[in-house]
Amino acid sequence: MADTPVHAFLDFEKTIAELEGKIEELRHLNDGGDVSIVDEVERLQTRVNRELTQIYSNLTAWQKVQVARHPARPHCLDYVSALVSDFTPLAGDRTYAEDHAIIGGLGRINGQSVVVIGQEKGHDTESRVKHNFGMARPEGYRKAQRLMELADRFGLPVVTLVDTAGAYPGIGAEERGQAEAIARSIEVCLNLRVPIVSLVIGEGGSGGAIAIAVADQVLMMEHAVYSVISPEGCASILWRDGKFATDAANALKLTAQDLLQLGVIDEIVSEPVGAAHRGGDRAIRAAGKAIAEALSDLCGTDGAVLRQNRRKKFLKMGDTAGI
Amino acid sequence: MNWLNNYVRPKIRSLVGAKSDVPENLWLQCPSCEQMLFHRDLEANLNVCSNCGHHMRLPARRRLDTLFDDGAYTEIELPDNVADPLKFRDRKRYTDRLKDSRSSTGRQDAIIVAHGTVGGQKAVIAVFDFLFMGGSMGIAVGNGIVAGAQLAVLQEAAFIVIPSSGGARMQEGILSLMQMPRTTIAVQQVKEAGLPYIVLLADPTTGGVSASFAMLGDIAVAEPGAIIGFAGARVIEETIREKLPEGFQRAEYLLEHGMIDMVVPRHDLPESLGRVIGLLGQKSSGAEIIPVTAATAAPDADSGGDGAAPAD
């Protein structure tokens, strides 16, 4: 059953939209509690669930991209407000500006003090503009570096939530060293002597994502995607036509399932039937459990060993994977 | 130009036979000042326009010939890797693209690693070959950077990387993205061994290459006019729907914005790089002094991130 009403249906959810439309109609008719109508609603609801299970266990790569970008999907701040107590946002890169595309701060997960860093896309026009649709500028990555270094000094684990189409391509961003900011952020991740756990909650968009996702444990939501380039971008370069995004999505192997097989991620977090945009609370709870487990696995390990293992892990990437 | 030029000539040419024995492009036009340049002169001048000083791309091998002392160096063999890990296919199979690039360039992938001396100083150079799939970085290029870095550590040599790359190799998908942390670890090893890591940014250095090892040099040198940036100019223009400023993402622009240390003309590079390595490389005296001062300082260096400063 749906936790949250879904208004934006994806093109492959037509049957669901029709069924839910019928349910809505029947519910509207039935003010008096007519038993036969209640039965009918229940029957339809069962069908919806069956259809959803069917559709969502057979999503194509391109459909996953659409699900990962669904506007009703829980975003970074939804995860933070549900999973992090005493959340205390920290702002600014101390050099130029505060970038709202990357949120970060102190808080507790299961009582353990942590530093949380994540990309926030926003949920309505106003917040989307404020957070720049989750596309960070160099300041965002420099804030992330600052917070990671803070975590390192105080021995706090770092949790990052990845959800971005990519780093922002703009004049100012280039002038202020977008490439350097991302590179340095990767370097800081690799230098940490505290545990770092990353969870890709929606879109893991290229350099903008990896900048905060070089982690001891990289987790990924079941219907999230993570790629070196957007399928549209890839299609327009290699197929010379953005219309081939479906083919590009397939070729890029960007689903959580593919990435687990390639050894790039460590664990997939299950989403409820019909994905996180239908069951946000349950998706977040499952994510919380996975993060807490990853943290408790890592927390006893010596800092130098953590760092060494992390470097070993990423030094091997591509060396053995994909055979 | 008229329709005759456009449509008839290619047909006639194909009837006569496209290939002639006379090498094409005996004369090249400088893309900057449009001066016609004789190809031998241009080559002798390291692909720098003798009229306006415009730097055209230099083939990877020529790079090594000109940078190493007396053009003497030893190329190292790079480890094999899984070709086409994703079984990638766009309009063409990736394996076919690889085959084409291999036969046209005569090398396995987009990087060459060699060691020798530069200005009398030991150096390992990893140079990108832009002609091999746009110098894009996949696993093989990652292997090159890792091998080069490790060789530098082994030989206690400076590590010089010369990127000329559009970025990550899309055909290797996420595994090419993973070369960003991988190459970063490689250059960290050089830095932690106390050896100079120098990046010579050549045209172009963008995308995943610029956003990893290429921007982490102890010293960042660029060639005049080189395009250096993260996002491609077209992507930026489409995003912001504005015209880009003059000289945007050029080496000189980056210098002005504090992103690189210096812009050095190609002819001066051997001397400049040798001098920089020499200046950084005199670490024998420094290495002995540092532990002494460290021992007298507060013993908190290795407390492992505990960080709590002693309260008063």
Side-chain angles (χ1 to χ4, degrees):
Chain A
M1 223 183 288
D3 289 2
T4 40
V6 177
H7 298 297
F9 287 98
L10 299 167
D11 56 11
F12 55 88
E13 296 180 322
K14 252 189 205 126
T15 49
I16 307 294
E18 280 165 19
L19 287 169
E20 288 193 342
K22 266 188 211 163
I23 292 174
E24 200 55 37
E25 243 173 68
L26 286 173
R27 284 207 174 119
H28 219 71
L29 282 174
N30 185 28
D31 287 339
D34 187 326
V35 179
S36 66
I37 291 185
V38 172
D39 278 356
E40 177 67 9
V41 166
E42 221 164 86
R43 210 177 53 77
L44 286 173
Q45 193 61 60
T46 318
R47 246 192 87 191
V48 166
N49 287 348
R50 204 172 51 224
E51 289 278 344
L52 279 175
T53 312
Q54 171 67 20
I55 293 172
Y56 274 82
S57 50
N58 294 297
L59 290 180
T60 65
W62 176 245
Q63 287 169 338
K64 291 246 187 200
V65 172
Q66 291 170 277
V67 173
R69 292 174 182 166
H70 197 290
R73 202 174 161 81
H75 290 146
C76 180
L77 286 173
D78 299 313
Y79 282 84
V80 170
S81 66
L83 299 177
V84 184
S85 56
D86 289 344
F87 181 61
T88 308
L90 300 172
D93 68 343
R94 300 295 183 273
T95 303
Y96 183 77
E98 157 67 350
D99 185 345
H100 295 281
I102 290 191
I103 61 107
L106 297 161
R108 288 181 198 280
I109 292 179
N110 282 351
Q112 158 83 56
S113 239
V114 296
V115 163
V116 184
I117 297 164
Q119 286 135 344
E120 170 61 40
K121 285 184 169 179
H123 55 88
D124 55 20
T125 308
E126 196 188 333
S127 62
R128 280 182 197 125
V129 169
K130 176 184 169 189
H131 296 290
N132 198 31
F133 301 84
M135 292 187 286
R137 297 180 166 90
E139 298 73 63
Y141 295 108
R142 294 196 176 116
K143 175 167 76 174
Q145 292 161 34
R146 187 173 74 80
L147 297 187
M148 286 193 275
E149 277 161 357
L150 183 80
D152 195 66
R153 281 211 308 120
F154 287 91
L156 307 177
V158 177
V159 174
T160 70
L161 301 169
V162 178
D163 193 13
T164 182
Y168 186 68
I171 295 176
E174 292 289 323
E175 285 178 344
R176 299 191 298 277
Q178 186 71 290
E180 192 270 350
I182 292 171
R184 195 72 61 190
S185 194
I186 291 172
E187 194 180 39
V188 172
C189 288
L190 287 164
N191 278 338
L192 291 177
R193 290 160 303 172
V194 293
I196 170 167
V197 172
S198 293
L199 171 65
V200 183
I201 57 177
E203 235 183 321
S206 195
I210 189 82
I212 59 164
V214 186
D216 301 317
Q217 287 279 309
V218 181
L219 319 177
M220 208 166 150
M221 297 305 289
E222 187 183 349
H223 301 305
V225 295
Y226 188 5
S227 178
V228 66
I229 185 171
S230 73
E232 294 93 331
C234 180
S236 83
I237 297 171
L238 292 182
W239 277 264
R240 308 246 167 89
D241 187 345
K243 273 182 280 179
F244 289 90
T246 321
D247 302 83
N250 263 329
L252 283 166
K253 302 267 192 299
L254 44 64
T255 70
Q257 294 69 28
D258 284 331
L259 268 56
L260 187 68
Q261 215 168 19
L262 290 168
V264 169
I265 62 163
D266 300 289
E267 192 186 330
I268 297 174
V269 179
S270 297
E271 296 186 25
V273 173
H277 59 280
R278 286 198 170 73
D281 294 347
R282 279 171 296 159
I284 292 172
R285 234 177 292 135
K289 200 166 154 259
I291 292 170
E293 274 166 17
L295 285 178
S296 79
D297 284 350
L298 295 165
C299 272
T301 314
D302 176 71
V305 175
L306 277 174
R307 167 155 71 180
Q308 200 186 9
N309 289 345
R310 191 181 312 125
R311 289 184 180 184
K312 269 191 199 153
K313 172 184 168 179
F314 281 91
L315 203 50
K316 269 201 325 219
M317 290 274 175
D319 231 6
T320 53
I323 298 163
Chain B
M1 271 295 197
N2 59 31
W3 65 272
L4 264 172
N5 284 346
N6 288 334
Y7 298 102
V8 178
R9 254 183 51 203
K11 272 197 176 166
I12 294 172
R13 199 186 290 147
S14 73
L15 281 175
V16 175
K19 290 206 172 156
S20 72
D21 289 339
V22 184
E24 267 181 77
N25 308 330
L26 278 179
W27 292 84
L28 282 125
Q29 191 177 39
C30 171
S32 177
C33 70
E34 301 187 346
Q35 172 88 12
M36 292 309 285
L37 304 161
F38 188 56
H39 75 111
R40 271 185 228 278
D41 295 343
L42 185 63
E43 224 177 276
N45 204 32
L46 306 178
N47 283 11
V48 177
C49 173
S50 50
N51 185 49
C52 72
H54 177 75
H55 283 54
M56 293 168 225
R57 285 182 194 133
L58 191 66
R61 182 83 51 198
R62 286 275 284 156
R63 250 322 150 194
L64 298 176
D65 293 342
T66 56
L67 283 181
F68 280 115
D69 298 342
D70 308 321
Y73 56 88
T74 312
E75 190 180 329
I76 66 162
E77 208 171 304
L78 296 175
D80 270 338
N81 58 283
V82 186
D84 194 17
L86 305 188
K87 309 264 176 286
F88 194 97
R89 178 182 195 153
D90 46 83
R91 292 174 310 149
K92 217 169 159 184
R93 279 178 208 282
Y94 175 39
T95 47
D96 290 339
R97 285 189 195 267
L98 275 176
K99 234 179 267 163
D100 292 351
S101 283
R102 281 175 185 165
S103 70
S104 70
T105 63
R107 65 182 53 100
Q108 277 303 99
D109 214 291
I111 195 164
I112 310 178
V113 181
H115 61 97
T117 58
V118 174
Q121 313 284 333
K122 277 190 287 184
V124 174
I125 299 183
V127 59
F128 280 63
D129 180 4
F130 188 78
L131 295 175
F132 195 108
M133 296 187 76
S136 56
M137 174 165 72
I139 296 162
V141 167
N143 285 345
I145 302 285
V146 170
Q150 285 170 352
L151 182 64
V153 172
L154 206 70
Q155 297 188 338
E156 295 187 34
F159 189 36
I160 303 173
V161 180
I162 311 172
S164 175
S165 168
R169 187 169 298 167
M170 280 173 288
Q171 291 90 342
E172 291 184 23
I174 196 81
L175 294 173
S176 67
L177 190 72
M178 291 301 139
Q179 302 312 304
M180 293 169 68
R182 188 163 176 243
T183 53
T184 301
I185 298 164
V187 302
Q188 270 178 326
Q189 292 174 339
V190 176
K191 290 179 178 180
E192 283 168 13
L195 300 162
Y197 168 48
I198 297 167
V199 184
L200 167 57
L201 301 153
D203 185 64
T205 302
T206 57
V209 166
S210 70
S212 57
F213 67 87
M215 279 295 158
L216 296 172
D218 291 316
I219 308 289
V221 183
E223 281 199 329
I227 290 279
I228 304 156
F230 178 63
R234 199 167 49 94
V235 175
I236 298 172
E237 255 173 351
E238 279 168 14
T239 308
I240 59 169
R241 298 199 173 86
E242 266 176 59
K243 211 114 180 71
L244 297 173
E246 180 77 18
F248 184 66
Q249 289 185 328
R250 296 275 175 197
E252 297 74 13
Y253 192 88
L254 267 85
L255 183 70
E256 210 169 291
H257 284 88
M259 288 301 145
I260 54 177
D261 291 292
M262 53 187 115
V263 176
V264 178
R266 193 167 286 159
H267 286 282
D268 301 341
L269 280 170
E271 191 277 324
S272 295
L273 292 177
R275 176 162 30 89
V276 167
I277 298 169
L279 289 168
L280 288 172
Q282 305 301 326
K283 65 182 190 107
S284 52
S285 57
E288 276 159 57
I289 292 166
I290 290 162
V292 179
T293 40
T296 55
D300 66 342
D302 279 317
S303 58
D306 171 304
D312 48 357

